[in-house]
Amino acid sequence: MPTHAKPASLLSALRPRSQDRLYDFYRDLRNTDELFWDRHLNAWIATSHAVVSSTASDPRFSSVRYPDIEAVSEELRPLARVLSRQMLYSDAPDHARLRALLSRAFTPRAVAALRGRISDAVDRIITRAEPAGRLDIVADLARPLPLAVICDLLGVPEEDRPVLSSWSDPIAAAIGSSRLDADESRTASQSMAEMLAYLRELLTREDGPPAPHTLRALLATGTENPDQDFDELLANTALLLIAGHETTTHFIGNAALALLDHPRAAGQLRDRGDLIPAAVEELLRYDSPVQLLLRRARHDLDLAGRSIAAGQAVLLVCGAANRDPAAFPDPDVLDFERPGGRHIAFGYGPHFCLGAALARLEGAVVLEALLTRLPDWKLDGAAPRWQNSLNFRGLTGLDIAFTPSPAPSQEPYAGPVDRIL
Ligand code: HEM
């Protein structure tokens, strides 16, 4: 029951070491109140599964992130203008139109066709690490793999991928931060401008027709449509690039850490491959890569017994909702046979993650490969560190050790992972 005691600020999650105890902190917040006003963030904070899921899909709320672009700082404004054209930060009818345009590239069928290539890429990364018996799961696997997959879908040549990543990182950091300084804002805006210039050139490059049914082919139909605004298409291509890899990187790292922390659950999964799809969902629930969704009240309204004023922001804490005992009994237990319960790691409602099928596939392939090929893996070295972000939950590195295998007689592939796909 809510006590209406004066709640803490969500910003406390950014205190040193708070990320190590994030879910205890969320539990305290939720036990105090499922919806409270955070004067430091100037936003309502929703922590229960019921309020988070209902608000995410409530048409009384908007997903527009910057309702008044002129109020945004001069340094951040160029980035804000681009983000405002992305489906993630749009409402109907623009949202539905953009989603319809791009969703065909992410149907379960289109995504399933990628399994073989993703699996080959993961195998090669592990093969490369086997002689040393060491792997940084974040740097060597979780970062390069999703970037390679989304770049492959977009037709980005291998040699251009590192620079795309160098633009994407400051943009993702800006999206994930509640307190950006002028330099960070300027860097994020500049990175977005360079990414868009690159994508403009990529999508108009005359290098023959793209393979049919690919995302690149879909984008080509968009560029040829005189009714389609090209800048809007570019802004949404940038969204796919950024959303398509930062989140999946965190998912792979967080899932691997959860399995290392729960050897019995890892053993169960090793013995029962049929549990992998359920394990992917449970691992997404257990330690969600995206912790916050933002919604804004379109008009004065009531929510969970509170009066929300028009324009006020509500931060939906998916990470707290996914550990709500009212939705998930024993929420802090990692249980691959958990009955029912719908996690919100991919959001809920009209903005439900467009890339969910792809992220699930990448997760499943990685889990299967790690568990079968590195049965005696263990943490190596210092305890893993969390990135300090309110919005994204992910590790800065995850070093593991395992029994080395002799190098194969054939020289293993030693080039960048980008070349694999
Ligand atoms: C585990 C990995 C991922 C997680 C946890 C994740 C999470 C999310 C969440 C929570 C949302 C909803 C945001 C909201 O309601 O405001 C979302 C939307 C979105 N995601 Fe993902 N995502 C992941 C992977 C991907 C991938 C691989 C792609 C693309 C290749 C992608 C593309 C998108 C897009 C385009 C949207 C906006 C959809 C819309 O506005 O209709 N995501 N994602």
Side-chain angles (χ1 to χ4, degrees):
M1 277 298 278
T3 61
H4 303 294
K6 192 174 173 218
S9 169
L10 189 65
L11 276 178
S12 303
L14 294 179
R15 285 198 190 123
R17 314 305 302 175
S18 286
Q19 291 287 321
D20 294 341
R21 296 186 54 256
L22 186 65
Y23 296 104
D24 295 340
F25 170 65
Y26 284 163
R27 186 196 315 117
D28 294 344
L29 284 185
R30 202 180 40 240
N31 286 343
T32 306
D33 211 331
E34 62 177 344
L35 181 66
F36 67 89
W37 177 252
D38 188 328
R39 65 188 172 85
H40 299 281
L41 283 167
N42 204 24
W44 291 93
I45 310 295
T47 54
S48 70
H49 189 275
V51 178
V52 168
S53 54
S54 64
T55 308
S57 55
D58 187 336
R60 298 177 302 163
F61 287 88
S62 161
S63 283
V64 170
R65 182 168 172 142
Y66 302 104
D68 179 5
I69 293 270
E70 297 312 314
V72 176
S73 76
E74 201 183 314
E75 295 81 10
L76 195 62
R77 208 172 300 148
L79 175 68
R81 284 193 207 286
V82 179
L83 296 183
S84 299
R85 308 210 67 188
Q86 296 180 337
M87 74 176 96
L88 180 59
Y89 300 118
S90 306
D91 294 331
D94 287 339
H95 170 257
R97 176 175 54 77
L98 287 164
R99 195 163 165 120
L101 174 68
L102 295 174
S103 58
R104 275 177 295 143
F106 296 99
T107 58
R109 189 150 166 243
V111 167
L114 301 170
R115 179 180 274 272
R117 284 146 83 188
I118 296 173
S119 182
D120 283 353
V122 174
D123 277 344
R124 285 174 197 253
I125 291 171
I126 295 178
T127 301
R128 202 190 309 172
E130 265 174 342
R134 288 199 146 69
L135 185 70
D136 178 343
I137 290 190
V138 173
D140 301 333
L141 176 61
R143 281 191 73 76
L145 180 76
L147 177 69
V149 172
I150 191 70
C151 282
D152 195 46
L153 288 175
L154 285 169
V156 174
E158 294 128 24
E159 61 274 17
D160 296 346
R161 295 173 185 188
V163 71
L164 272 175
S165 182
S166 74
W167 292 323
S168 173
D169 290 347
I171 300 169
I175 294 170
S177 172
S178 54
R179 288 182 295 190
L180 280 182
D181 65 28
D183 274 351
E184 289 165 329
S185 302
R186 211 175 290 115
T187 306
S189 287
Q190 179 62 25
S191 300
M192 180 58 98
E194 291 180 38
M195 184 185 277
L196 291 185
Y198 175 86
L199 292 173
R200 177 181 295 278
E201 198 274 322
L202 178 79
L203 294 185
T204 49
R205 201 176 282 171
E206 293 197 357
D207 52 1
H213 314 303
T214 59
L215 174 61
R216 183 71 194 277
L218 261 186
L219 290 169
T221 60
T223 54
E224 285 153 15
N225 177 357
D227 296 332
Q228 174 60 53
D229 181 306
F230 191 44
D231 287 341
E232 185 188 58
L233 195 69
L234 289 178
N236 282 280
T237 308
L239 166 67
L240 292 176
L241 249 173
I242 299 161
H245 82 278
E246 299 281 344
T247 47
T248 314
T249 293
H250 295 330
F251 172 43
I252 293 171
N254 299 0
L257 180 62
L259 289 175
L260 287 159
D261 281 346
H262 295 84
R264 277 181 54 189
Q268 182 193 26
L269 208 50
R270 201 170 284 124
D271 295 341
R272 290 203 37 206
D274 61 303
L275 279 180
I276 288 215
V280 165
E281 301 310 314
E282 175 67 349
L283 289 160
L284 280 161
R285 179 197 73 81
Y286 185 78
D287 210 354
S288 308
V290 176
Q291 293 281 316
L292 295 182
L293 307 181
L294 172 72
R295 296 292 186 270
R296 217 173 270 284
R298 291 174 189 276
H299 46 77
D300 292 353
L301 54 88
D302 285 339
L303 179 68
R306 300 303 167 88
S307 302
I308 315 285
Q312 281 185 332
V314 184
L315 292 177
L316 309 175
V317 190
C318 305
N322 283 338
R323 296 280 191 118
D324 183 347
F328 306 100
D330 294 325
D332 300 327
V333 173
L334 184 69
D335 177 1
F336 300 144
E337 295 182 282
R338 179 178 287 287
R342 182 169 177 169
H343 71 70
I344 311 173
F346 287 126
Y348 194 79
H351 290 272
F352 182 83
C353 179
L354 187 71
L358 180 56
R360 284 174 168 138
L361 176 63
E362 290 182 48
V365 168
V366 167
L367 291 186
E368 209 171 296
L370 289 175
L371 291 167
T372 53
R373 296 196 55 190
L374 312 177
D376 66 346
W377 66 336
K378 55 182 186 318
L379 274 175
D380 186 28
R385 297 290 304 270
W386 294 103
Q387 282 182 13
N388 210 18
S389 163
L390 276 187
N391 196 7
F392 297 119
R393 172 130 167 118
L395 296 164
T396 54
L398 182 61
D399 290 314
I400 58 156
F402 51 91
T403 306
S405 303
S409 50
Q410 264 193 330
E411 200 47 28
Y413 176 83
V417 66
D418 315 328
R419 282 170 183 272
I420 293 164
L421 288 166

